[in-house]
Amino acid sequence: MKLMTCPINGSRPVSEFVYWGEIRPMPDAATCSDDEWADYVFNRNGAPGVKKEWWCHTPSNTWFIAERDTEKDKVLRTYLHGEDE
Amino acid sequence: MNAPIRISPLFDVQAPLGPKWSHVDAMQTPASFGSADGAKLALAGIGDVSFRRRAGVKGPGAAAALAELGIATPERPNSFLRMACGTLVARMGRTEFMVEDAAGGTRTAQMHAQTPGAGVYPVPRFDAALVVTGERAIELFRQSCAFDFSSLVLPEQPLVMTSMVGVGVTVVAIDDPSGPYYRVWCDGTYGGYLWATLVEVASDLGGGAVGLEALGRLAQ
């Protein structure tokens, strides 16, 4: 069983979590070019590496950030939004 | 006039079993499923206490809003307390609480009547609420859930939010002289499935559905 650590609820089976995608900073729609906006809307970075992702512990609806190595599928650390040092 | 005006989320799965009914807090609730209730209770009993009135509140001002009403709150997230009046107060996260009245309690009515201030967000609760009892309750959880309930330290009054037979549940483990027992809440719309599945597993362990008469004070 794969485990993931929720910052509030602790280590739980990964089946209790949902993945909500990589955190991608949104460009300022008022000032960015059409290409930059289209890139943000339509393109995703599928290259393996360490990425920051949104995850949610569904029984408690706890949203948090996981730093995950998508090449090795290893979660390096998890923390709540705003707690990144 | 004693007509039920609230319907248990478990009514549709309980009615085919033909229990003896009672009305508690204006909800029709099984009083007994038969003479074997007591034996089932000791092994793996599943009771319905959805009739308890409950209310939720969340937000940075939630704890202060409850304090204004004289409702005590647990210090730690994922824990619960029972007030002297019997009211059960569960802390589900840093700023989210669920309050469940004892019999005849009015705490939740006070919460509903309170005008929410800044940073206070009322959360309507329409849960299915179960009681899981018996010496084989841990085995029942092992078959239905990936969380190890035997790891809980009962005097700390722990609260666990996890997934049970695929349903998101909130569980508190209650230390009792007769042995630990558990209160389980889930979204009411999943209640029938959760109840029927747990009753099926409990039946394999020598237990099953039990009514309020057998539950007695465990229904508090």
Side-chain angles (χ1 to χ4, degrees):
Chain A
M1 179 166 58
K2 288 174 78 168
L3 297 175
M4 183 165 232
T5 302
C6 168
I8 295 286
N9 296 284
S11 182
R12 296 297 175 83
V14 77
S15 59
E16 292 190 7
F17 297 86
V18 293
Y19 163 76
W20 215 248
E22 185 181 1
I23 296 175
R24 300 178 313 123
M26 185 176 76
D28 183 346
T31 58
C32 72
S33 67
D34 285 352
D35 283 350
E36 285 171 335
W37 185 250
D39 180 58
Y40 170 72
V41 172
F42 295 112
N43 296 330
R44 299 291 181 274
N45 178 10
V50 177
K51 295 182 177 179
K52 291 183 179 179
E53 300 168 333
W54 280 115
W55 285 77
C56 179
H57 179 241
T58 51
S60 62
N61 202 29
T62 304
W63 286 91
F64 62 94
I65 297 165
E67 286 183 8
R68 188 169 69 96
D69 185 332
T70 59
E71 183 178 15
K72 302 182 179 75
D73 191 21
K74 282 195 172 173
V75 176
L76 306 176
R77 68 183 188 120
T78 57
Y79 49 90
L80 295 174
H81 177 64
E83 292 190 349
D84 188 14
E85 297 299 328
Chain B
M1 172 143 177
N2 197 23
I5 56 173
R6 301 163 68 212
I7 300 292
S8 168
L10 310 178
F11 178 81
D12 285 345
V13 290
Q14 291 169 335
L17 302 180
K20 179 179 133 191
W21 296 100
S22 63
H23 293 170
V24 191
D25 283 350
M27 186 180 280
Q28 187 170 340
T29 299
S32 168
F33 285 92
S35 57
D37 275 14
K40 293 182 198 167
L41 186 81
L43 287 170
I46 313 291
D48 175 17
V49 287
S50 303
F51 58 84
R52 291 263 173 255
R53 298 183 190 274
R54 58 190 73 82
V57 64
K58 67 196 296 187
L66 291 175
E68 268 181 37
L69 298 174
I71 299 173
T73 50
E75 288 183 10
R76 287 175 295 107
N78 287 359
S79 65
F80 75 97
L81 61 78
R82 199 184 281 283
M83 295 170 60
C85 60
T87 306
L88 192 148
V89 185
R91 184 168 180 171
M92 347 263 294
R94 291 184 175 179
T95 59
E96 182 168 359
F97 301 89
M98 180 181 72
V99 176
E100 190 177 78
D101 275 336
T106 58
R107 299 285 189 182
T108 57
Q110 293 169 15
M111 289 172 66
H112 290 308
Q114 187 184 39
T115 304
V120 180
Y121 306 100
V123 181
R125 305 288 312 201
F126 301 102
D127 305 60
L130 313 183
V131 183
V132 180
T133 70
E135 60 191 51
R136 304 190 76 177
I138 288 285
E139 286 177 68
L140 182 144
F141 289 139
R142 283 191 187 128
Q143 293 188 46
S144 57
C145 178
F147 183 82
D148 181 9
F149 282 88
S150 65
S151 67
L152 294 177
V153 182
L154 299 189
E156 293 180 0
Q157 300 194 303
L159 178 146
V160 176
M161 283 182 279
T162 184
S163 179
M164 194 172 284
V165 292
V167 179
V169 292
T170 301
V171 184
V172 300
I174 300 176
D175 208 0
D176 187 78
S178 63
Y181 69 98
Y182 304 85
R183 292 288 312 275
V184 180
W185 295 270
C186 77
D187 184 293
T189 56
Y190 291 107
Y193 161 70
L194 178 68
W195 188 85
T197 310
L198 291 186
V199 166
E200 188 177 344
V201 177
S203 301
D204 292 340
L205 299 170
V210 296
L212 286 180
E213 290 173 2
L215 281 172
R217 64 186 173 78
L218 300 188
Q220 291 296 321

